[in-house]
Amino acid sequence: MALNIRYQYLLLGVVLTKPKSIIEIGLAQGERAYQMIQLASKYEANVKYTGYDVFDTKSSSWHKMVGNGKQVASKDIIKGRLNKLTSNVSLIEGMTSETLWLNPQKADYVWLDGDHRVQAIKNDFEAVKNSRVIVFDDFYVNGEHGGYTIDKFGCNQIIETLKKDEIFISPETKALPNIRIVFWSKDKSIIKNLKYYLTDMKNMKDYLSKNK
């Protein structure tokens, strides 16, 4: 049975990997940040969350140029919302070329969904590649989405360079079935585990019933 949206796989990944620290690149309105922290907090009382974004400092034309179709909120609005869940929140404003690339970081779980241009994704990945699990958005099964083609946008080119047993491409979802997320980890047992539970929702339901 197909899930409704691909982000459900991202959140189930949090449940399965139980991260103590999370990095997110590209927050938009902070919805995914809130959901990830909320889930991770069930397993770790003081989850460390770090988010990188330009927030509301760029124009709509800039967001279109980098392939971002989502509305964005201000740093203060998002931080106020996330602080209701944990005080261990750091939001870094600016281009990751000026923040993250110059100061590489690592975490248990990374959601990479910032600047959608290929080179930006490559450099973001390089800056967090020592993390336990990295989840890429924007893998375009048909080679493009909304006019954004994989020669310039999306993570396809990066995924092609990674070892097959270190990645797991999520199944299709009802909404936007041709866009997937991709899990990557040097720990092949993590990828094997994610694949087992997320490929078959019956396995996932069994896991959730046993780990309430």
Side-chain angles (χ1 to χ4, degrees):
M1 181 181 71
L3 297 180
N4 289 322
I5 59 173
R6 66 188 183 279
Y7 303 123
Q8 289 175 282
Y9 285 111
L10 170 73
L11 300 177
L12 290 173
V14 172
V15 173
L16 291 167
T17 59
K18 300 176 174 57
K20 296 180 179 180
S21 56
I22 297 171
I23 289 175
E24 182 174 15
I25 302 169
L27 281 74
Q29 298 185 66
E31 181 180 357
R32 229 56 64 197
Y34 190 93
Q35 293 170 329
M36 287 192 290
I37 294 171
Q38 192 174 45
L39 283 172
S41 294
K42 294 181 179 180
Y43 315 104
E44 173 62 31
N46 195 28
V47 178
K48 180 183 179 182
Y49 173 88
T50 307
Y52 293 84
D53 205 303
V54 296
F55 299 102
D56 59 349
T57 66
K58 298 290 185 181
S59 67
S60 58
S61 60
W62 182 89
H63 283 286
K64 183 177 181 180
M65 177 184 73
V66 303
N68 177 28
K70 304 183 185 80
Q71 291 184 330
V72 295
S74 72
K75 178 180 175 181
D76 289 342
I77 288 174
I78 293 175
K79 188 158 190 178
R81 189 179 183 207
L82 300 184
N83 278 342
K84 294 176 182 177
L85 297 175
T86 177
S87 60
N88 202 0
V89 171
S90 297
L91 299 184
I92 314 298
E93 186 175 277
M95 298 282 290
T96 50
S97 58
E98 300 166 353
T99 56
L100 181 61
W101 300 359
L102 302 176
N103 185 26
Q105 300 291 322
K106 64 180 180 178
D108 290 332
Y109 203 74
V110 177
W111 174 227
L112 206 168
D113 186 26
D115 187 327
H116 288 34
R117 292 174 293 185
V118 172
Q119 194 57 52
I121 298 172
K122 283 182 180 178
N123 290 335
D124 284 344
F125 175 57
E126 280 296 313
V128 296
K129 66 182 180 182
N130 290 322
S131 298
R132 182 166 169 248
V133 180
I134 297 174
V135 191
F136 296 83
D137 196 11
D138 301 292
F139 182 85
Y140 303 142
V141 174
N142 290 343
E144 67 88 31
H145 172 67
Y148 294 105
T149 54
I150 60 172
D151 58 325
K152 295 179 180 178
F153 295 90
C155 71
N156 293 57
Q157 288 190 40
I158 296 92
I159 300 306
E160 288 172 2
T161 69
L162 303 176
K163 294 179 180 178
K164 299 297 183 185
D165 55 359
E166 294 180 355
I167 63 169
F168 167 57
I169 301 172
S170 66
E172 71 174 46
T173 50
K174 293 176 183 177
L176 302 175
N178 295 318
I179 306 179
R180 313 288 176 84
I181 67 170
V182 183
F183 294 88
W184 172 85
S185 178
K186 281 284 187 184
D187 186 338
K188 296 170 186 176
S189 65
I190 291 176
I191 295 300
K192 187 176 180 180
N193 200 48
L194 289 166
K195 190 177 294 185
Y196 176 78
Y197 286 109
L198 300 183
T199 301
D200 188 335
M201 281 298 107
K202 181 183 182 300
N203 293 338
M204 191 70 226
K205 287 178 181 177
D206 289 344
Y207 177 90
L208 293 173
S209 66
K210 294 173 183 177
N211 294 271
K212 290 182 179 179

